[in-house]
Amino acid sequence: TRLSFFSNIFYIIICIILCGVILNFIDKKYSVIAYLDRPSANFIEENYKIPTINFNKKKNLVLIFLESIEKGYADSSVFDGNLIPELERLAQNNISFAGCEQTYASGWTQSAHINMLLGIPLLYIIGNEELVQNSFFKNAYSITDELKKQGYSICSMFGASGKFADMKKIFSSHGVSDVREKDYYDNIITDPKDFYGTGWGYKDSFIYEKMYEEYVRLRKQKNPFCLIMRTVDTHFPDGYVDRYYKKYGDMRDSVIMASKMCSEFVDKIQYFDDDTAIIIIGDHLWMDPPSEVFTKFTKKLHRREIYNVFINTVFSSNEIKTLRKFAPFDMAPTILESIGAKLEGSRFGLGTSLFSKEKTLIEKYGINHINNEFKKEQRFYFSFL
């Protein structure tokens, strides 16, 4: 009938409008059109470097990635108290670099690990996600690939599922066969839920305990070792803190406990071990979800940069310039050189070791130039897949 014909036309028009609104929202949020229509560039190809690597010494490595931990959490005027006094003490008494800029494609968990372990940004290949279904950037070299080559025993531990941010796939694709995560512990712990924290999985205190047990075991062997841990108690929205500790009733409590637990773990190792370097890095800045209470504090910070400290490295703090301009991908060569590696040109991936006097890419080109280049089509990037 004529009425049904016009009704159908009306519904079609409504559907077209809704599709337009949805597509417009997606484009504004993820810049899809700009991504697909972006110009090509060779910046990554021209600056990517996997150098000749030699080790003068092979220190053991304990590498801890702290979820969303920033230096600014020590600002009492913003947070109504210093949230990380223990971490601040570690930074003051050891080597801590200032001047980090969170570059494009480094601001979430998965991208942070790719930057810091492989020395490259995590540029999404829209429409080609299947290329990383079975492995993650298998043709890009990671610092863990090099440590395996050098005879290190490597173990990675975290409380969330290995599917979270593809963590298990990232590590197993790059020389780490011993990955212990939620599924691993669920199979060996009698009552696993007794040790759960946030909805992500096991609480950090449990993983620290297991990490220390593995550290004690590994330090008895002759081969050098690398232990990698990432925390999750300070993940948004509300983090996790045991019931017995509640000062603020929000994410600040989780940050306070994260600082205490990490410092206590470091103190236990430092008490009797001079052969292990300990590196602690905030994986990325707090992601500022507008609905979260903690965001109203972070938005007041004058300066935002991830926390980092290098403890018991092969370098003396007196000989290092700690005020630099650097990116997350500069952590890759910096980690390697901290434990005794000698890198040709002090380069690895796109990174430059902060222990060297060589200029980082940000010091050479500025962060705006680098971010603009990363947003362009980098065809060389496909070779990493």
Side-chain angles (χ1 to χ4, degrees):
T1 67
R2 187 180 181 85
L3 181 61
S4 62
F5 171 78
F6 283 109
S7 296
N8 290 336
I9 293 295
F10 175 76
Y11 287 128
I12 291 172
I13 292 173
I14 293 297
C15 288
I16 291 173
I17 292 173
L18 286 175
C19 287
V21 171
I22 292 170
L23 290 173
N24 183 59
F25 171 78
I26 293 173
D27 180 57
K28 284 186 175 181
K29 187 172 181 62
Y30 297 105
S31 301
V32 175
I33 294 175
Y35 181 90
L36 294 174
D37 194 38
R38 68 202 187 285
S40 61
N42 298 320
F43 183 81
I44 291 180
E45 182 177 12
E46 292 169 353
N47 290 281
Y48 183 77
K49 176 73 173 178
I50 294 301
T52 300
I53 303 176
N54 297 299
F55 274 75
N56 298 325
K57 182 180 178 63
K58 293 182 180 179
K59 279 210 167 205
N60 301 320
L61 171 62
V62 171
L63 175 58
I64 302 174
F65 291 105
L66 297 178
E67 171 66 44
S68 303
I69 297 298
E70 302 183 31
K71 284 187 173 185
Y73 297 166
D75 192 334
S76 298
S77 65
V78 170
F79 294 97
D80 191 27
N82 184 347
L83 305 184
I84 54 169
E86 299 84 4
L87 289 177
E88 187 180 38
R89 171 180 60 83
L90 289 176
Q92 291 172 345
N93 294 334
N94 296 280
I95 299 173
S96 181
F97 296 98
C100 183
E101 300 282 357
Q102 186 163 277
T103 43
Y104 179 78
S106 70
W108 64 99
T109 297
Q110 190 181 62
S111 64
H113 283 72
I114 293 300
N115 274 263
M116 296 181 193
L117 296 175
L118 280 68
I120 57 175
L122 178 54
L123 307 180
Y124 279 120
I125 313 299
I126 294 178
N128 291 279
E129 291 83 358
E130 71 277 1
L131 295 177
V132 292
Q133 280 188 357
N134 298 318
S135 62
F136 214 106
F137 290 10
K138 62 181 182 299
N139 296 324
Y141 204 55
S142 169
I143 64 173
T144 50
D145 289 317
E146 179 62 26
L147 294 181
K148 180 183 179 182
K149 179 181 176 182
Q150 295 292 335
Y152 276 72
S153 298
I154 312 174
C155 177
S156 174
M157 296 179 168
F158 45 94
S161 166
K163 295 179 181 178
F164 168 68
D166 284 317
M167 282 293 99
K168 186 171 184 178
K169 189 189 298 182
I170 290 172
F171 285 115
S172 60
S173 298
H174 293 283
V176 186
S177 57
D178 190 356
V179 181
R180 307 182 189 183
E181 34 77 75
K182 181 178 179 294
D183 296 337
Y184 171 90
Y185 289 112
D186 279 351
N187 289 326
I188 64 173
I189 301 298
T190 303
D191 296 307
K193 291 185 179 180
D194 291 345
F195 303 98
Y196 284 179
T198 65
W200 300 104
Y202 289 87
K203 54 189 177 183
D204 291 343
S205 58
F206 173 85
I207 301 299
Y208 274 119
E209 180 183 333
K210 295 303 175 185
M211 180 99 152
Y212 186 73
E213 290 174 2
E214 185 62 13
Y215 161 78
V216 171
R217 186 187 74 82
L218 288 173
R219 73 184 299 269
K220 294 177 182 178
Q221 67 176 26
K222 293 183 179 180
N223 293 339
F225 64 83
C226 169
L227 276 172
I228 304 174
M229 174 184 172
R230 69 156 286 104
T231 66
V232 75
D233 282 3
T234 49
H235 201 292
F236 72 83
D238 300 316
Y240 170 80
V241 65
D242 284 330
R243 290 189 301 273
Y244 65 83
Y245 185 83
K246 293 282 185 180
K247 180 178 180 180
Y248 296 103
D250 55 43
M251 175 64 76
R252 286 176 291 178
D253 294 336
S254 299
V255 173
I256 288 171
M257 292 308 298
S259 178
K260 291 179 183 294
M261 286 189 289
C262 187
S263 175
E264 289 171 359
F265 179 79
V266 170
D267 289 343
K268 286 170 68 175
I269 293 179
Q270 280 193 300
Y271 183 73
F272 59 86
D273 192 345
D274 191 47
D275 212 27
T276 299
I278 307 169
I279 300 173
I280 305 164
I281 308 174
D283 63 346
H284 54 74
L285 303 179
W286 172 255
M287 298 177 72
D288 293 331
S291 61
E292 307 307 334
V293 173
F294 197 60
T295 300
K296 75 176 183 181
F297 298 106
T298 57
K299 286 292 189 180
K300 296 177 183 178
L301 287 171
H302 176 69
R303 169 74 183 166
R304 304 284 299 273
E305 63 177 294
I306 56 173
Y307 176 87
N308 72 86
V309 66
F310 291 74
I311 303 169
N312 197 29
T313 71
V314 298
F315 296 95
S316 167
S317 58
N318 297 326
E319 59 183 317
I320 302 301
K321 179 183 177 182
T322 56
L323 181 58
R324 303 288 300 267
K325 292 182 180 179
F326 63 98
F329 52 73
D330 290 310
M331 286 291 110
T334 306
I335 291 169
L336 282 177
E337 287 206 338
S338 74
I339 59 174
K342 182 61 179 176
L343 310 180
E344 179 187 4
S346 295
R347 297 289 312 285
F348 187 96
L350 296 179
T352 303
S353 172
L354 301 178
F355 288 112
S356 75
K357 295 181 180 179
E358 300 293 327
K359 286 186 176 181
T360 67
L361 291 186
I362 287 185
E363 288 168 338
K364 283 184 179 180
Y365 302 109
I367 186 171
N368 290 334
H369 177 78
I370 290 173
N371 285 342
N372 288 334
E373 290 298 308
F374 284 172
K375 292 174 184 178
K376 297 175 183 177
E377 182 183 17
Q378 302 281 340
R379 293 177 183 175
F380 176 75
Y381 198 80
F382 283 88
S383 67
F384 297 145
L385 303 176

